[in-house]
Amino acid sequence: MAWKTLDDMDLNGKRVLTRVDINVPVENGKVSDTTRIDRIVPTVKDILAAGGTPILIAHFGRPKGKTVPEMSLNITLPALEAAFGQPVKFTTLEDAPETIAFAKNQVVLIENIRFEPGEEKNDPELAQRLADLGDIYCNDAFSAAHRAHTSTTGLAHLRPSCAGRLMAAELGALEAALGQPKRPVVAVVGGAKVSTKLDLLGNLVGKVDHLVIGGGMANTFLAAQGISVGKSLCEHDLAQTARDILSKAQTQGCEIILPKDVVVACEFKANAEHSIVAADQCPDDAMILDAGPESVAKIGEVFSTAKTVIWNGPLGAFELEPFDAATNAAAKSAATLTKMGKLTSVAGGGDTVAALNQAGAANDFTYISTAGGAFLEWMEGKILPGVAALDS
Ligand code: AMP
């Protein structure tokens, strides 16, 4: 990795084309969660403080190359202005040259870049049109870096490029967790299905020392070993794939940790009648909805000997009490060890952030990535085009 940061660039008097992710949720015409906006504030403020003009380029929704008024980025303006503490000049791409000419050291936001048919095609003409608007390219949208689009890759090659603060923080955290991690490394992979996480498991068994498999996907691994899982969520057709992963782990010296005991219930609903049984004792009419206390104790033991934990996916049906217990307890254990300075803990991907927040553990993790797809692709060992484009 040889990317530059804002500190490596002379920003004074420069127009900085800054790719950000402000694809925020909106309810009743208002931004309902400003997390993504809050996270780009350091980059915008640092560019302004260094005398530069941040020109924000972003997408919103999926307009598929057409102007869709309901997907205009103007809806984000009040939230952006509140976060930056100053006005933001909003412009269409067409009017951008004129707006930018009169916006020295002020924030400019260009209309939804996905209104342009060339954006998702990584079109060289669009890239040149954008490049003509600025002097420097800064990518602060790690969460869009798995897409080879004009504003995440093509443009990067036409101007001196650097990573923004958020991008640099994400890359630093991921590098610490999987690139050059302190060992032993434990990966926790949970969630519903093996089928959506095959590449992930395949990559991790070659890189980590212990792999905790939880959630619905653990059922597939148990069943693949001849254990009856009753009515549990289980991909029986992936039994051979699961066995292949187990044997790859063995040859690579990676310990796979599956639940020893499980929480079973006959209904998939909150507070359903439940019991704790050994992992090979799931009744025929029941389903496994969480890992049991013995399993949690084993995970805690592994965490206590580890230096790094990387986590994606809940250990059970965490949306339904009390089947959030294993996720909560394991998350708290990682958070406590992190707080004590014994562990580097990195987590990310869709439901994981929600699960760790629910456990009250997210704040104590070393880093929580809000990038869903990009975080997973990184964990899968894939090269992200938006990151590769920053390589100098
Ligand atoms: P994913 O999006 O793959 O990370 O999966 C997250 C989903 O997996 C959550 O909605 C959980 O409720 C679900 N899940 C986790 N464990 C189980 C389980 N044992 N049975 C059914 N669903 C589960």
Side-chain angles (χ1 to χ4, degrees):
M1 277 301 150
W3 32 270
K4 293 193 165 98
T5 71
L6 286 171
D7 300 324
D8 301 309
M9 317 303 268
D10 175 10
L11 303 170
N12 194 13
K14 300 285 175 22
R15 300 163 302 167
V16 187
L17 299 159
T18 310
R19 179 56 160 102
V20 291
D21 182 359
I22 49 172
N23 193 21
V24 284
V26 169
E27 272 167 35
N28 303 324
K30 273 194 179 157
V31 174
S32 57
D33 179 349
T34 59
T35 308
R36 283 184 162 162
I37 289 175
D38 298 338
R39 287 191 149 203
I40 61 162
V41 170
T43 293
V44 171
K45 288 208 165 161
D46 285 357
I47 294 170
L48 288 168
T53 302
I55 301 163
L56 308 184
I57 303 173
H59 72 277
F60 188 57
R62 295 193 170 156
K64 303 212 162 115
K66 293 199 179 75
T67 299
V68 180
E70 307 81 72
M71 292 185 195
S72 170
L73 272 172
N74 64 10
I75 203 157
T76 64
L77 279 176
L80 289 173
E81 292 185 337
F84 305 150
Q86 61 170 279
V88 172
K89 291 195 165 195
F90 183 59
T91 176
T92 59
L93 182 57
E94 204 174 20
D95 293 339
E98 204 185 329
T99 308
I100 292 165
F102 293 100
K104 298 250 164 0
N105 204 220
Q106 295 172 61
V107 187
V108 176
L109 171 66
I110 297 177
E111 178 60 289
N112 192 344
I113 196 64
R114 286 195 189 159
F115 284 0
E116 300 300 317
E119 164 63 0
E120 296 189 51
K121 297 182 188 137
N122 197 7
D123 172 44
E125 261 179 54
L126 177 62
Q128 192 56 57
R129 212 172 144 200
L130 290 172
D132 289 344
L133 298 173
D135 310 295
I136 288 172
Y137 173 73
C138 169
N139 192 345
D140 210 27
F142 176 81
S143 50
H146 57 317
R147 312 257 184 242
H149 294 170
T150 305
S151 66
T152 57
T153 55
L155 175 58
H157 297 296
L158 301 179
R159 286 289 175 267
S161 297
C162 68
R165 300 297 184 211
L166 176 58
M167 171 74 99
E170 290 265 4
L171 294 176
L174 295 176
E175 187 63 13
L178 267 190
Q180 310 279 332
K182 286 195 201 134
R183 291 189 178 274
V185 185
V186 186
V188 178
V189 180
K193 291 183 170 179
V194 173
S195 51
T196 56
K197 296 191 181 172
L198 277 179
D199 290 345
L200 184 61
L201 294 167
N203 182 46
L204 290 176
V205 290
K207 289 204 170 139
V208 305
D209 305 293
H210 310 272
L211 173 59
V212 175
I213 299 178
M217 57 197 300
N219 303 336
T220 301
F221 280 84
L222 294 172
Q225 293 172 297
I227 292 169
S228 167
V229 294
K231 287 197 197 151
S232 302
L233 174 65
C234 179
E235 292 169 287
H236 290 284
D237 54 325
L238 287 178
Q240 189 51 48
T241 308
R243 285 192 289 270
D244 291 345
I245 291 170
L246 291 173
S247 68
K248 183 178 172 195
Q250 203 167 19
T251 42
Q252 307 253 6
C254 167
E255 182 198 15
I256 300 264
I257 299 162
L258 284 165
K260 291 175 170 198
D261 59 345
V262 290
V263 184
V264 296
C266 291
E267 289 175 287
F268 188 83
K269 68 171 199 196
N271 300 310
E273 204 175 306
H274 57 278
S275 53
I276 297 162
V277 298
D280 58 358
Q281 296 297 320
C282 177
D284 288 346
D285 60 348
M287 55 195 138
I288 300 172
L289 291 182
D290 199 11
E294 246 192 88
S295 312
V296 171
K298 166 73 183 168
I299 295 169
E301 233 172 78
V302 179
F303 282 178
S304 67
T305 61
K307 292 263 170 24
T308 305
V309 168
I310 181 158
W311 188 324
N312 172 263
L315 296 177
F318 79 99
E319 302 95 333
L320 310 174
E321 265 187 62
F323 309 109
D324 55 348
T327 305
N328 290 350
K332 280 192 184 129
S333 149
T336 304
L337 290 162
T338 306
K339 224 171 156 180
M340 291 163 74
K342 294 186 173 174
L343 199 64
T344 297
S345 53
V346 176
D351 275 341
T352 312
V353 182
L356 298 185
N357 274 328
Q358 192 177 301
N363 286 341
D364 290 326
F365 269 58
T366 312
Y367 195 80
I368 300 273
S369 170
T370 49
F375 179 83
L376 271 184
E377 288 198 22
W378 175 284
M379 262 183 103
E380 286 166 3
K382 295 187 178 142
I383 290 171
L384 308 185
V387 178
L390 292 180
D391 255 340
S392 50

